[in-house]
């Protein structure tokens, strides 16, 4: 998993400020309208609680969002249960309280605001500039928006919006990712920062790495070009030199299992095989020779490696191209680094 904005190229505080500026007053006005009507005591107390904590709801950190959700469930269990079970009213019927609360944090309206100059899913995706799925690093997630077509990453709710409807438009609960990870793999699985890695806080980094495990003690490298499924497997393992806490490693492994990373990366054996072959050809002497012979092309050793691997090989660049994490790990394992 790749950490969002790991190289700090965007200012998340500025993005959060725009998110807050758009939603805070609008939601406060709606809450005040609800409070002006007749409500049961617990529903009124719940709305007042939400109004007081609105800034946290909208732009609170992942830790603050979990604390808010747990606190709200303890203090207003009956109201929370009602909201979670809410169903859209039939046309012409009065809007029940649970549906009113859901409308305060209207994710559908957020996703359908297509104009990138106005706050919504497209503008958030554009400002974040996440280019690859942060969960799998296998799919591009560019944002493009025009009058004749548009595309953007999916937004996964780290804390799912069915269980946490008041976090449906919380900025740090919206994780840009691909449709496969969001819809096909994670689904409704329960996430928490205590059980899984949160992309706004951390990634697997170099603590968990891909590795090539050959099936035989001696390797016929010519077979890497065809039938490589019979030659090796791509595995995930903790880096031998990692000093990451055991709790981190457990959460990292659980996250990779949720998104079936090891299984899906078996489809990229041809790519890994080419890296292994290149590592046999381009030893340290060859790399230094290329750097010396073509100073007009390469500024550094990293430039040569990028040309040889057709990808990025530094940890801070793994969010720039698909399969960059696999590239970095395999290149390092076989000395192409």
């Amino acid at each position: 998993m790749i950490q969002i904005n790991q190289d700090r190229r965007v200012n998340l505080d500025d993005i959060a400020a725009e998110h807050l500026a758009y939603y805070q007053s609008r939601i406060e006005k709606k809450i005040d309208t609800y409070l002006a009507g007749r409500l049961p005591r617990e529903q009124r107390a719940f709305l007042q609680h939400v109004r007081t904590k609105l800034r946290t709801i909208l732009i609170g950190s992942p830790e603050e969002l979990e604390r808010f959700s747990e606190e709200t469930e303890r203090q207003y269990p009956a109201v929370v249960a009602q909201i979670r079970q809410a169903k859209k009213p039939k046309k012409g019927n009065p809007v029940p309280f649970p549906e009113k609360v859901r409308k305060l944090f209207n994710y559908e309206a957020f996703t359908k605001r297509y104009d990138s100059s106005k706050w919504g899913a497209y503008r958030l995706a554009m400002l974040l500039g996440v280019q690859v799925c942060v969960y799998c690093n296998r799919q591009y997630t560019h944002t493009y928006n025009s009058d004749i077509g548009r595309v953007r990453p999916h937004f996964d709710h780290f804390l799912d919006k069915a269980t946490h409807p008041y976090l449906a438009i919380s900025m740090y609960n919206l994780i840009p990712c691909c449709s496969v990870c969001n819809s096909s793999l994670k689904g409704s699985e329960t996430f928490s920062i205590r059980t899984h890695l949160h992309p706004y806080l951390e990634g697997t980094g170099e603590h968990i790495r891909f590795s090539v495990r050959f099936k035989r003690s001696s390797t016929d490298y010519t077979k890497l070009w065809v039938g490589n499924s019979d030659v090796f497997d791509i595995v995930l393992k903790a880096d031998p030199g990692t000093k990451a806490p055991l709790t981190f490693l457990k959460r990292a492994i659980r996250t990779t299992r949720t998104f079936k990373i090891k299984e899906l990366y078996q489809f990229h054996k041809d790519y890994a095989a080419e890296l292994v072959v290149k590592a046999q050809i381009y030893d340290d002497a060859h790399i230094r020779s290329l750097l010396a012979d073509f100073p007009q092309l390469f500024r550094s050793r990293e430039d040569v490696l990028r040309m040889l691997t057709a990808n990025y090989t530094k940890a801070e660049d793994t969010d720039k191209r698909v399969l960059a994490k696999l590239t970095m790990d395999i290149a390092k394992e076989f000395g192409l680094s």
Side-chain angles (χ1 to χ4, degrees):
M1 192 184 79
I2 310 298
Q3 183 176 355
I4 295 172
N5 198 35
Q6 60 183 343
D7 59 0
R8 304 294 188 268
R9 65 175 175 268
V10 300
N11 190 321
L12 292 177
D13 290 340
D14 287 348
I15 298 174
E18 188 169 347
H19 189 69
L20 183 68
Y22 180 84
Y23 276 116
Q24 186 171 23
S25 61
R26 287 173 169 81
I27 295 175
E28 285 176 345
K29 288 177 182 178
K30 289 180 181 179
I31 292 176
D32 290 343
T33 299
Y34 294 161
L35 289 173
R38 298 182 62 182
L39 291 171
R41 183 177 63 182
E42 191 170 27
Q43 291 180 357
R44 179 176 294 277
F46 171 83
L47 284 178
Q48 290 169 335
H49 169 70
V50 167
R51 196 184 193 289
T52 301
K53 298 289 187 176
L54 194 53
R55 183 183 180 88
T56 295
I57 293 171
L58 291 173
I59 61 170
S61 68
E63 298 94 337
E64 290 173 325
L65 292 178
E66 289 211 18
R67 284 197 297 270
F68 166 80
S69 187
E70 292 166 358
E71 173 187 295
T72 302
E73 290 174 17
R74 286 195 304 270
Q75 293 183 12
Y76 309 99
V79 177
V80 169
Q82 290 173 3
I83 297 169
R84 288 175 177 171
Q85 297 167 11
K87 295 181 180 179
K88 289 187 177 181
K90 294 181 179 180
K91 193 174 182 179
N93 288 354
V95 178
F97 179 80
E99 182 62 18
K100 287 181 178 179
V101 173
R102 284 182 172 271
K103 284 182 176 295
L104 287 175
F105 308 100
N106 193 333
Y107 179 71
E108 287 69 26
F110 171 75
T111 61
K112 292 177 181 178
R113 200 166 294 114
Y114 300 126
D115 187 345
S116 296
S117 67
K118 298 179 181 178
W119 192 253
Y122 280 89
R123 181 157 179 80
L124 175 59
M126 180 187 71
L127 292 176
L128 288 175
V130 174
Q131 302 177 64
V132 297
C133 176
V134 298
Y135 287 135
C136 72
N137 194 223
R138 298 174 62 246
Q139 306 279 350
Y140 282 112
T141 54
H142 296 121
T143 300
Y144 171 76
N145 197 356
S146 73
D147 294 336
I148 58 174
R150 56 183 62 89
V151 65
R152 63 165 175 82
H154 278 222
F155 279 108
D156 167 51
H157 289 82
F158 187 84
L159 302 176
D160 70 279
K161 66 179 185 295
T163 307
H164 311 271
Y166 27 77
L167 304 182
I169 55 172
S170 302
M171 178 177 151
Y172 289 105
N173 197 40
L174 298 171
I175 312 299
C177 63
C178 70
S179 61
V180 173
C181 286
N182 185 34
S183 303
S184 302
L185 296 176
K186 183 192 175 190
S188 58
E189 182 175 343
T190 301
F191 269 33
S192 164
I193 56 176
R194 292 185 290 273
T195 60
H196 293 79
L197 300 186
H198 194 298
Y200 274 106
L201 299 177
E202 55 202 350
T204 52
E206 298 182 71
H207 303 294
I208 301 291
R209 62 181 178 87
F210 290 103
S211 177
V212 167
R213 179 180 294 165
F214 288 103
K215 297 182 179 180
R216 295 176 179 82
S217 56
S218 61
T219 304
D220 182 349
Y221 286 97
T222 61
K223 289 185 178 179
L224 289 172
W225 294 103
V226 291
N228 50 50
S229 294
D230 298 326
V231 180
F232 68 88
D233 286 322
I234 296 174
V235 299
L236 280 168
K237 62 183 184 181
D239 187 278
T242 184
K243 296 182 180 179
L246 181 60
T247 52
F248 170 89
L249 296 176
K250 286 182 177 180
R251 290 187 297 118
I253 292 297
R254 189 177 288 116
T255 302
T256 64
R257 287 175 178 169
T258 294
F259 295 106
K260 303 295 185 287
I261 299 300
K262 185 179 73 172
E263 292 81 0
L264 290 175
Y265 269 79
Q266 304 312 313
F267 294 113
H268 301 296
K269 284 186 178 182
D270 60 335
Y271 181 82
E274 291 173 15
L275 291 173
V276 173
V277 170
K278 288 176 181 177
Q280 307 311 306
I281 300 170
Y282 296 101
D283 59 12
D284 186 64
H286 276 84
I287 293 172
R288 284 189 282 107
S289 177
L290 286 170
L291 183 59
D293 292 344
F294 299 97
Q296 74 278 19
L297 296 180
F298 304 120
R299 301 163 299 173
S300 63
R301 183 184 181 88
E302 285 71 29
D303 287 349
V304 178
L305 293 173
R306 182 174 165 188
M307 184 273 293
L308 294 177
T309 63
N311 214 320
Y312 294 91
T313 57
K314 297 177 69 175
E316 60 266 31
D317 295 326
T318 50
D319 61 346
K320 294 179 179 178
R321 189 172 293 176
V322 295
L323 303 183
K325 178 71 166 72
L326 175 69
T327 303
M328 179 185 73
D329 292 344
I330 301 304
K332 181 178 180 181
E333 181 173 25
F334 287 89
L336 197 61
S337 61

